[in-house]
Each structure stands twice: as structure tokens, then as C-alpha cells.
Amino acid sequence: MDSIDKLTTIPILPTNPIVHKAALQLAATFQLPIVDTPPPDLPFLLYLTTKRLELRDMTTKMGPVYVDFVSGALAYRRRYGGGRKQALAKAIGLKHASNPTVLDATAGLGRDAFILAHLGCHVQMIERSPVVAALLQDGLQRAEQDTKIGPLIKERLQLIHHDAQQWLLSKKPQPDVIYLDPMYPHRQKSALVKKEMRLFRAIVGEDLDAPALLKAALACARRRVVVKRPKWAPSLEKPSFCIESEKTRF
């Protein structure tokens, strides 16, 4: 079973009659199945509660994965992450009043895209996984209701559920910067990675097409392509310049 097959077998479970209509809308938008009771043999499940959509690993006691633009780690990063002096902002090319348009072609949970939007960029997030895209949409909708960041979300962040290579090759309007953060290479001897990455690797698989996506991005970006990699991982292609943070290089 390939990664696409695995993705489409993860159903949505509405946990309250109040959210049943929302569950039906999510299921229709992202072509995901919907169930009334947890299937006994599925390792993963999307729980839609009255608060949020959660991805749960049914085989462990590990906490759920969900998108939260309002509180938690992103709220701290928004306030104390270093603003335009942080490595991500420098890599993208944020200088003074320069706010390039950004296409995040591997959106994931949208954290870097949100920070770039907070710093002034208009960001399109492309996510091909229906499961991850559903989590992103739920997070965006909840964040739009927040009085502090709601206007920013509505104005500067857009979610596109599509294959990034196909999107780039379809000759859509070209962004100034294309940002790539492909799945980190697997390390057999490494310590356990974050729960999000363990879940993502299990449901999405490896980004084996990352070199092809980089090639497409280089042909489309008007200014630059930025690739995020852990310091220990090999480059997808020899970069023209490199900016490093504590654990990451761009």
C-alpha cells in the first residue's frame, strides 16, 4: 500500500452531534471517509471535537496532533522568535519594507508559513495530503475567529489542497519565493523525533519526489527557492548560499 492509499483510509469521527455537519463538509472537501464509531483495526483516526480536529494514533498513548495558530508554541514564537532577524526570515529575504510573496510548497502544519505571514508576507500553503490539509483548514478556521490574529490569517494565509509539482507546472502566477521543507531523512540511530513527525512519516511516507519538486520550484520562483534541512542531512542540491540556525540550515 503506498502513502496515498494509506492517507485515504483515515476516517473522520465526529464526537458530538453538534459537529456532524462540519465533519460531513470536511469529508466532502478532502474526500475522506466518515464514521460514527472508531473502527477497531485502524491505527489512525481524525477526531472532530467541539474544539478542533485532531489526528490520533490509536496504537499508542501519544497525544493528538492538531493545528494551533493562536496559542502554544506558535504564540511564543510569534512574540519571541526574533522577528525579521531569525534565520527563516533572512533566508526568505525579508528586509525593511520588503514583503515577498511566498509559496510554501510543503505546508505540513503551517508553522513556518504562519510566521512568515505574521512578518508581513502573503503566503500560499500547498498541502497534498488530505489528512494534513484537513488539519490545516480546521486550524485556519479557528484562528480566523481570534481577535488578535484573525485579520492576519484571512488576509495573508491561503490553503491550497493540491500536488505542489502539478501546481507549479500548471503555470499559475509565480511567487517571489518558493519555500520547501520536505520530510527529514529517516535516522535509524536517532532519538525519537517529535510526535508530529512520527505520525506524518507513518501516514504520508517519505518525500521521495523532493528533488523533482526542487527542480520545478527553481523553474518557477521569481527571486529564490529556500530549502529547509536539518544540519546533519545532505542537501537536495548544492545551494548558492546558506543560512544556519541552531539545528537547521536554509
Side-chain angles (χ1 to χ4, degrees):
M1 180 182 292
D2 63 24
S3 60
I4 299 301
D5 290 333
K6 287 189 288 184
L7 287 170
T8 56
T9 61
I10 300 177
I12 300 172
L13 173 68
T15 61
N16 189 299
I18 297 174
V19 299
H20 189 75
K21 183 178 179 181
L24 290 173
Q25 291 174 341
L26 278 172
T29 299
F30 299 104
Q31 298 183 344
L32 292 167
I34 188 167
V35 294
D36 295 324
T37 57
D41 56 345
L42 284 182
F44 307 108
L45 196 61
L46 285 165
Y47 272 73
L48 182 60
T49 72
T50 54
K51 293 183 177 180
R52 64 198 179 207
L53 181 68
E54 303 176 349
L55 174 63
R56 298 186 186 182
D57 184 344
M58 309 302 291
T59 66
T60 71
K61 295 182 180 180
M62 185 171 58
V65 172
Y66 54 90
V67 173
D68 185 1
F69 294 117
V70 179
S71 59
L74 268 186
Y76 184 89
R77 187 177 169 189
R78 187 175 77 243
R79 296 186 182 97
Y80 308 111
R84 295 193 172 207
K85 294 181 180 180
Q86 61 187 289
L88 171 64
K90 292 179 180 178
I92 293 295
L94 291 177
K95 297 179 181 179
H96 307 295
S98 174
N99 297 315
T101 58
V102 179
L103 177 70
D104 184 347
T106 52
L109 294 177
R111 291 169 179 163
D112 285 345
F114 171 76
I115 293 301
L116 292 174
H118 169 66
L119 295 176
C121 297
H122 284 79
V123 185
Q124 290 181 313
M125 301 184 294
I126 296 186
E127 178 53 55
R128 64 181 171 184
S129 160
V131 172
V132 181
L135 292 170
L136 271 173
Q137 178 168 293
D138 174 72
L140 288 170
Q141 289 175 341
R142 286 185 284 105
E144 287 176 358
Q145 308 306 313
D146 184 78
T147 55
K148 291 184 178 180
I149 68 169
L152 178 157
I153 294 289
K154 293 177 182 178
E155 179 184 352
R156 300 181 194 163
L157 269 180
Q158 177 190 7
L159 172 62
I160 301 168
H161 175 39
H162 209 285
D163 180 85
Q165 276 193 74
Q166 293 178 7
W167 183 266
L168 291 174
L169 296 174
S170 64
K171 298 182 179 180
K172 301 289 184 182
Q174 295 180 336
D176 296 322
V177 180
I178 297 177
Y179 180 67
L180 306 179
D181 182 11
M183 184 73 68
Y184 285 5
H186 185 59
R187 298 180 74 184
Q188 294 288 348
K189 297 182 180 180
S190 66
L192 287 177
V193 296
K194 292 181 179 180
K195 63 183 179 182
E196 291 93 343
M197 292 301 101
R198 300 209 299 275
L199 276 174
F200 276 26
R201 191 179 300 279
I203 66 171
V204 178
E206 307 287 345
D207 281 333
L208 299 178
D209 58 347
L213 178 57
L214 174 57
K215 183 178 179 180
L218 289 168
C220 294
R222 292 195 293 179
R223 295 187 188 176
R224 66 178 65 174
V225 175
V226 178
V227 182
K228 181 180 181 180
R229 300 293 278 170
K231 281 189 173 180
W232 53 265
S235 300
L236 297 182
E237 187 175 299
K238 185 176 180 180
S240 57
F241 68 97
C242 183
I243 295 175
E244 295 189 355
S245 61
E246 182 180 354
K247 298 180 179 179
T248 308
R249 70 180 191 274
F250 300 89

